[in-house]
Amino acid sequence: MNVNAIADLFIAFFIIIGAFLSLVTAFGVIRLPDVYTRNHAASKSATLGVMSILIGTFLYFYLIEGHFNSRIILGIAFILVTSPVAGHLISRAAYNSGVELWEKSVQDDLKLSKQTAKKES
Amino acid sequence: MAFQILLNIVLAFVYMFLKVSASPVTFLVGYFFGLLVIFIFRRFFQSRFYLLRIVAVINLFFLFIKELILSNIAVLRVILKPKLDIRPGIFALPTELKEDWEITVLANLITLTPGTLVIDVSDDNKILYVHAMDLADAEEAINSIKQTFEKAIMEVSK
């Protein structure tokens, strides 16, 4: 097995894993019951999925074509930093505009604190 | 810490001037000797020797990557399981961190951990409200994970 074959294997691994994770994210967004659990699927699997596709792309251009593209690395870093923040903001906005949790949810500490805050004010 | 790095760079430049050479290699050699000098004089600085803090930051980064992969596997398991037997819920998590950036990093880390998502931070920055995907078996384990995260972040900022 020469170096190129090993490189191919790595690239294929990253791209297939990324595509698979994105597919599972889509399944999760359809299947899960409420906004918050859907957000779990969307904010985690999509992050790693897109990141590994980008890593595969970077490795392809670097190992096969010999071209070091630093923009891809910057893109990976930006996705890693921004997507959990986006997930947090979407679920926070959903909570504050009164979207109900799934009826099988067992606990809601935030509701309690919001009610006491309202009483005090 | 920033002061120590700046001092190290200045020492490297002094070394370059002493050697009458402007090549990057000379800069690196000077930087290394400057590091040595700062290590020897570490008790005269207010904060710790700055290399320790850089090691802590790198540790935190690897923790980030590890948790991202683990949380993906956990979410994958929930989504692909035929029966939907999760019990989601929101719980309150008291935190000891003070600075804004520490709380931001902690919230990002929690959002990327298996089955948890930060929904709100209380107004006095003392409690994080976390939505957990599966509350029943997770709470104890999650709390222990939080201890390691908080510890890793404090390791950076102390």
Side-chain angles (χ1 to χ4, degrees):
Chain A
M1 206 145 126
N2 62 353
V3 181
N4 247 346
I6 297 173
D8 279 344
L9 211 68
F10 265 102
I11 293 160
F13 172 78
F14 275 117
I15 291 193
I16 289 172
I17 286 282
F20 174 71
L21 280 173
S22 306
L23 183 71
V24 171
T25 306
F27 272 140
V29 170
I30 294 169
R31 243 198 101 189
L32 291 170
D34 69 351
V35 181
Y36 308 101
T37 46
R38 280 178 184 167
N39 216 332
H40 276 280
S43 68
K44 281 167 203 161
S45 312
T47 317
L48 194 63
V50 175
M51 268 170 66
S52 50
I53 289 176
L54 284 179
I55 291 173
T57 319
F58 173 76
L59 285 178
Y60 175 79
F61 280 108
Y62 186 52
L63 297 175
I64 309 289
E65 315 257 317
H67 167 63
F68 185 92
N69 195 339
S70 52
R71 273 181 212 162
I72 298 179
I73 296 193
L74 215 55
I76 293 170
F78 281 153
I79 285 177
L80 180 67
V81 174
T82 50
S83 77
V85 178
H88 162 68
L89 282 180
I90 291 169
S91 51
R92 187 188 141 101
Y95 197 95
N96 284 341
S97 50
V99 177
E100 294 286 316
L101 275 79
W102 189 33
E103 65 265 24
K104 282 186 194 160
S105 305
V106 282
Q107 197 180 344
D108 193 351
D109 290 346
L110 185 53
K111 200 176 181 178
L112 227 67
S113 82
K114 292 246 157 158
Q115 277 167 355
T116 51
K118 215 175 258 172
K119 258 177 216 160
E120 277 165 16
S121 64
Chain B
M1 144 149 184
F3 172 70
Q4 288 184 37
I5 293 177
L6 199 64
L7 185 64
N8 204 342
I9 291 172
V10 169
L11 282 175
F13 271 106
V14 169
Y15 186 79
M16 279 163 82
F17 275 79
L18 281 173
K19 294 285 278 186
V20 199
S21 127
S23 74
V25 178
T26 323
F27 179 81
L28 284 180
V29 172
Y31 197 87
F32 174 74
F33 284 130
L35 201 64
L36 221 62
V37 168
I38 288 176
F39 179 71
I40 291 166
F41 286 95
R42 64 191 179 281
R43 51 184 288 254
F44 295 99
F45 295 108
Q46 308 241 315
S47 56
R48 301 178 291 168
F49 179 52
Y50 78 90
L51 217 56
L52 293 177
R53 192 177 277 189
I54 288 174
V55 168
V57 169
I58 291 169
N59 259 341
L60 198 64
F61 177 74
F62 278 111
L63 197 67
F64 217 79
I65 300 290
K66 193 188 107 201
E67 287 305 326
L68 184 60
I69 292 169
L70 283 182
S71 75
N72 268 281
I73 293 169
V75 170
L76 227 68
R77 267 227 307 270
V78 169
I79 293 173
L80 295 180
K81 220 190 215 168
K83 222 171 122 239
L84 205 61
D85 55 358
I86 49 172
R87 298 173 60 210
I90 297 174
F91 65 93
L93 175 88
T95 177
E96 294 157 29
L97 299 174
K98 298 278 185 308
E99 305 278 329
D100 281 350
W101 70 266
E102 292 174 334
I103 291 169
T104 312
V105 171
L106 182 68
N108 270 3
L109 271 170
I110 290 171
T111 301
L112 290 176
T113 39
T116 50
L117 194 106
V118 176
I119 290 203
D120 209 347
V121 181
S122 68
D123 295 333
D124 54 357
N125 281 354
K126 281 189 183 134
I127 300 172
L128 297 177
Y129 292 99
V130 182
H131 182 270
M133 204 158 184
D134 209 344
L135 210 58
D137 55 38
E139 196 155 359
E140 275 308 302
I142 286 167
N143 273 329
S144 75
I145 292 171
K146 301 281 151 53
Q147 295 308 321
T148 64
F149 285 163
E150 269 193 349
K151 217 175 261 169
I153 292 171
M154 278 175 179
E155 198 65 36
V156 174
S157 64
K158 88 176 173 196

